[in-house]
Amino acid sequence: MSGEGEEDLAAFVALHGAALRASRVPARYWESLCRKLRGEVFDAGDYFGIMQVEEVDEEEEGDEEMEEFKKKPNPGNDTCFKVIITNENGLQASNPNSIFLIDHAWTYRVDHARQQLLHVPGLLHRMANLMGIDFHGEIPDEGSVEQVLQEMWKYNQTYQLSQGTAEEKVPVWYIMDEFGSRIQHSDQPSFATAPLFYMPQQIAYTVLWPLRDLETGDEVTRDYAYGETDRLIRKCILLPWVPTEVLDVNCFTPEPSDEHYQAILAENKEKLPIVIKPPVYDKDKVFKVFTDIQQVLNNLTHPRFIFTDNDGEADILYNFSHFKDYRKLSEERPEVMLNQFPCENLLTVKDCLASISRRAGGPDGPRWLPRTFNLQTELPQFISYFQQRDRRGEDNHWICKPWNLARSLDTHITNSLNNIIRHRESSPKVVCKYIENPVLFQREDVGMVKFDVRYVVLLRSVTPLRLYAYDVFWLRFSNRAFSLDDLDDYEKHFTVMNYAPGVTLKQVHCEEFIPLFEKQYPEYPWAVVQADIFKAFAELFQVASAKPAPLGICDYPSSRAIYAIDLMLKWDTSRDGKRIMQPQILEVNFNPDCDRACKYHPTFFNDVFSTLFLDETDSCHVTCIV
């Protein structure tokens, strides 16, 4: 290799080596891969061919069945195409040039898929052809678009950018070109594939390399469940291509083991505090507050709190980001208070919230939490539950959410099992039963819409449990009338409008909302509804603190915290057969955005600090829950 080539390779490895190692691309191919990427060399056609397979017993099946067979989508149970080695010398795995680039026919984020199929010229036609869907028109029609959106989960692959904004980190899905998409599954694959984002061009390709030597006519296959060794999980992952029932799996999801929580603690690099005596302060002490939160700096005006730029002299640390080393703080400065609890992620991360909530209620969990499964650890149980509901003819709409992204990012509503199974590959997710019968609110401009309610709760201590709710709550509304269709219509199914560009944000203050609500639902006074909401909050925090850390929120006397709890109301039936509004807790947020709170309630942070740090609630807008 020339000196220049060596420099090129070194630069290529510096940029892409980590990704290549993670994808287990053998180093012997890297030089050739570097050259092919730089020169945009697509030489797969010199080695491979696509073959249409018509394995049909002519005595049993007539022409009509053959036509039906040809229409069946691929990849699937009945293969229509396969890729074979056509090069007369075969292909040697030891040859450093035996690595190939596959182009991507379509790259998209899920929430843009429908619009792209409707508006990108030629895209729908190409995808319909690739998936074996009949499409003869020139103009995209909703029926064909719908079929492609259903079938694409058998063809798409995914990757995620590791840097950028939260929006830029939302998983990207792609469909390989006709050659890549025709490569069939095998449990003993002859090839491996991996996506590679080529930095100089800012383009993603799929790379393909052989796992053994192959002869002319041998089939090119890959493992669609690559890397998974557990037989049951493999069966579940392969279900989109190999339909099967897993009804024999018990869908009960017991609480995870103690080791599971220990592992979470270790992964978060959180160090638990030592036991300390609750600090005692002079009754007129003025506390020095260190904070990096602008809303606190701008709005905390209570005379018993002053700001300091030096965290070393602060009495209160009120940080925006997560604090980790409680041990050091408890050993060196036990009297310093802070705005978070050790292990509070058990509330604020969605899979943990579901796990600890199961402590309240039977096998299906408490009535105030939608049935939730962790797709990483409870996939077979979820599929069994889904298939059992399907068999009973029950509603099967679900919402897939990442464990820890906010603002509805990468959150999808679907009734397609294939869709949910495949979402597991993009980023860690939970899947929750979608509320199919929400309590709606009459908006004069659009009709009956979904709404959710945000309460701010203040956790003063864990032992004894002391929890308050701020007296003002916030409402968010959908912009279109609710119905269980158009599941990718954001403004119909979601309520978070303050981050979506060009979208109307409907604001109703809670004082206006209560009389409007009671006029629409005269049999359901808000005071009674709110009492049920507070009861759910109390139960949640009781189970969250019922076990010692790291199995529960740590009882650290110097900790205080503020959380935002988002919830909806759904129609349910009480045990005595009455129609009730059942609160559904959706998520708990750490350090919520308090912009609206400060704007409309200037004493908000004075009330919060008085309640949490002074134990003075008499003149504050808070209600004691526990």
Side-chain angles (χ1 to χ4, degrees):
M1 191 200 275
S2 68
E4 199 178 312
E6 281 176 24
E7 278 176 34
D8 289 345
L9 180 61
F12 173 73
V13 171
L15 274 179
H16 302 98
L20 293 170
R21 283 184 205 99
S23 300
R24 299 183 228 166
V25 179
R28 63 174 171 273
Y29 299 133
W30 292 6
E31 187 189 332
S32 175
L33 178 61
C34 171
R35 194 177 64 251
K36 289 184 181 185
L37 284 162
R38 288 191 68 200
E40 296 183 46
V41 177
F42 295 91
D43 56 347
D46 300 341
Y47 294 86
F48 309 104
I50 299 171
M51 191 162 92
Q52 184 159 358
V53 184
E54 298 180 5
E55 294 171 4
V56 178
D57 187 332
E58 282 161 26
E59 287 172 295
E60 287 179 27
E61 297 195 45
D63 291 345
E64 286 173 30
E65 284 92 340
M66 187 60 215
E67 280 307 304
E68 276 307 301
F69 172 74
K70 279 187 181 171
K71 279 186 219 160
K72 284 212 170 147
N74 163 82
N77 242 357
D78 300 300
T79 309
C80 298
F81 295 95
K82 64 183 185 182
V83 176
I84 57 166
I85 305 280
T86 51
N87 189 292
E88 60 186 24
N89 299 318
L91 195 71
Q92 282 68 49
S94 57
N95 182 337
N97 293 319
S98 294
I99 188 160
F100 304 93
L101 299 181
I102 300 174
D103 218 347
H104 295 170
W106 182 25
T107 301
Y108 59 97
R109 288 195 165 93
V110 174
D111 46 349
H112 304 150
R114 182 184 298 274
Q115 290 309 311
Q116 289 181 10
L117 288 168
L118 285 169
H119 301 299
V120 175
L123 178 64
L124 178 63
H125 204 272
R126 185 176 183 185
M127 287 301 118
N129 276 341
L130 187 146
M131 298 176 190
I133 295 166
D134 277 349
F135 173 64
H136 303 298
E138 286 305 308
I139 300 161
D141 65 284
E142 282 293 345
S144 303
V145 168
E146 211 51 62
Q147 265 187 290
V148 169
L149 290 172
Q150 283 290 322
E151 285 296 318
M152 70 184 187
W153 297 101
K154 295 179 184 173
Y155 292 85
N156 52 12
Q157 315 298 319
T158 184
Y159 63 86
Q160 218 175 343
L161 301 177
S162 55
Q163 279 143 357
T165 63
E167 283 80 1
E168 287 163 342
K169 287 182 185 169
V170 169
V172 175
W173 291 84
Y174 63 93
I175 291 179
M176 289 185 276
D177 66 12
E178 286 70 7
F179 163 64
S181 291
R182 302 289 186 227
I183 298 172
Q184 296 298 314
H185 165 73
S186 170
D187 289 334
Q188 282 85 40
S190 52
F191 280 76
T193 59
L196 180 69
F197 192 79
Y198 185 49
M199 304 280 200
Q201 293 178 353
Q202 294 288 295
I203 293 177
Y205 297 100
T206 292
V207 292
L208 171 78
W209 69 95
L211 299 172
R212 56 177 181 268
D213 293 346
L214 293 118
E215 294 176 8
T216 313
D218 284 353
E219 187 180 357
V220 176
T221 56
R222 65 184 184 87
D223 181 0
Y224 290 2
Y226 182 65
E228 183 53 68
T229 52
D230 181 284
R231 282 181 63 184
L232 177 59
I233 304 292
R234 279 186 69 83
K235 184 178 167 182
C236 292
I237 292 173
L238 291 171
L239 196 134
W241 304 279
V242 189
T244 183
E245 290 192 328
V246 291
L247 296 165
D248 52 336
V249 173
N250 186 339
C251 53
F252 174 61
T253 44
E255 195 187 335
S257 66
D258 294 2
E259 289 73 29
H260 174 80
Y261 294 109
Q262 295 283 0
I264 290 171
L265 180 73
E267 199 178 312
N268 284 341
K269 300 183 170 62
E270 218 173 72
K271 292 181 183 161
L272 295 179
I274 59 168
V275 176
I276 64 166
K277 288 194 175 115
V280 178
Y281 306 95
D282 294 343
K283 75 174 191 328
D284 46 6
K285 177 177 169 68
V286 174
F287 292 90
K288 290 180 179 172
V289 178
F290 175 83
T291 184
D292 54 356
I293 301 176
Q294 202 58 45
Q295 289 165 350
V296 177
L297 290 166
N298 294 347
N299 294 283
L300 178 62
T301 58
H302 194 292
R304 285 191 57 194
F305 300 99
I306 56 170
F307 295 114
T308 175
D309 293 334
N310 177 1
D311 62 350
E313 66 168 30
D315 303 303
I316 297 170
L317 300 174
Y318 205 97
N319 295 334
F320 177 73
S321 47
H322 293 282
F323 191 83
K324 300 290 183 187
D325 197 348
Y326 292 94
R327 171 170 279 275
K328 187 178 178 198
L329 190 71
S330 63
E331 286 171 344
E332 296 176 6
R333 303 167 68 198
E335 73 293 342
V336 171
M337 294 182 279
L338 72 168
N339 67 325
Q340 38 200 292
F341 280 82
C343 303
E344 66 186 2
N345 58 298
L346 297 177
L347 285 170
T348 59
V349 179
K350 295 180 186 77
D351 62 310
C352 297
L353 173 66
S355 300
I356 60 163
S357 296
R358 287 178 198 147
R359 296 169 188 171
D364 283 348
R367 293 183 76 151
W368 42 258
L369 192 84
R371 187 75 159 95
T372 301
F373 293 87
N374 179 337
L375 286 180
Q376 306 313 110
T377 58
E378 296 164 348
L379 181 66
Q381 292 92 326
F382 164 68
I383 294 174
S384 174
Y385 190 73
F386 185 101
Q387 291 179 337
Q388 286 178 41
R389 289 184 70 91
D390 202 42
R391 208 169 241 203
R392 294 193 296 262
E394 294 172 357
D395 180 81
N396 242 340
H397 287 85
W398 294 80
I399 182 163
C400 270
K401 305 176 181 181
W403 287 356
N404 54 5
L405 275 182
R407 313 202 317 245
S408 305
L409 290 172
D410 195 23
T411 300
H412 309 282
I413 301 155
T414 182
N415 56 1
S416 155
L417 184 57
N418 290 352
N419 177 328
I420 297 168
I421 292 168
R422 296 300 311 286
H423 265 302
R424 180 181 185 269
E425 293 170 35
S426 61
S427 64
K429 286 191 171 64
V430 294
V431 61
C432 310
K433 182 67 192 69
Y434 187 55
I435 299 168
E436 77 272 17
N437 51 353
V439 174
L440 302 174
F441 182 79
Q442 176 72 44
R443 264 181 69 169
E444 284 175 13
D445 49 345
V446 288
M448 299 296 278
V449 298
K450 277 178 67 167
F451 69 96
D452 70 8
V453 191
R454 168 168 282 198
Y455 279 89
V456 169
V457 299
L458 314 176
L459 182 58
R460 166 61 187 79
S461 64
V462 165
T463 310
L465 182 59
R466 288 170 65 197
L467 184 70
Y468 298 85
Y470 194 67
D471 286 340
V472 177
F473 55 88
W474 287 269
L475 297 137
R476 300 183 296 195
F477 301 89
S478 296
N479 284 343
R480 297 201 180 107
F482 177 76
S483 54
L484 260 182
D485 52 15
D486 304 327
L487 301 177
D488 51 1
D489 183 343
Y490 186 89
E491 292 189 65
K492 176 185 283 196
H493 291 281
F494 290 89
T495 57
V496 182
M497 300 297 164
N498 38 335
Y499 301 100
V503 167
T504 318
L505 173 66
K506 168 80 170 171
Q507 300 218 36
V508 178
H509 195 277
C510 64
E511 286 170 7
E512 294 168 63
F513 169 80
I514 294 171
L516 291 170
F517 179 88
E518 291 180 336
K519 190 178 172 189
Q520 290 175 31
Y521 300 106
E523 293 164 40
Y524 299 89
W526 185 256
V528 175
V529 174
Q530 184 168 267
D532 287 337
I533 291 170
F534 287 178
K535 190 170 166 236
F537 292 172
E539 275 187 31
L540 171 60
F541 278 85
Q542 278 156 355
V543 294
S545 56
K547 294 186 179 183
L551 282 59
I553 300 176
C554 181
D555 167 27
Y556 183 52
S558 291
S559 283
R560 316 279 190 272
I562 163 176
Y563 306 104
I565 304 183
D566 295 333
L567 65 100
M568 283 176 60
L569 298 169
K570 77 166 186 180
W571 291 110
D572 206 346
T573 308
S574 68
R575 290 184 174 85
D576 54 2
K578 273 173 44 191
R579 196 167 188 240
I580 57 167
M581 290 182 179
Q582 174 62 54
Q584 297 286 282
I585 293 176
L586 305 178
E587 59 184 45
V588 179
N589 295 285
F590 163 75
N591 249 346
D593 179 356
C594 296
D595 193 43
R596 279 207 283 176
C598 297
K599 189 172 171 184
Y600 297 107
H601 309 279
T603 65
F604 176 77
F605 273 114
N606 288 349
D607 292 343
V608 166
F609 272 68
S610 294
T611 303
L612 292 182
F613 301 109
L614 303 179
D615 279 334
E616 291 175 5
T617 57
D618 290 353
S619 57
C620 298
H621 302 90
V622 296
T623 299
C624 181
I625 298 179
V626 185

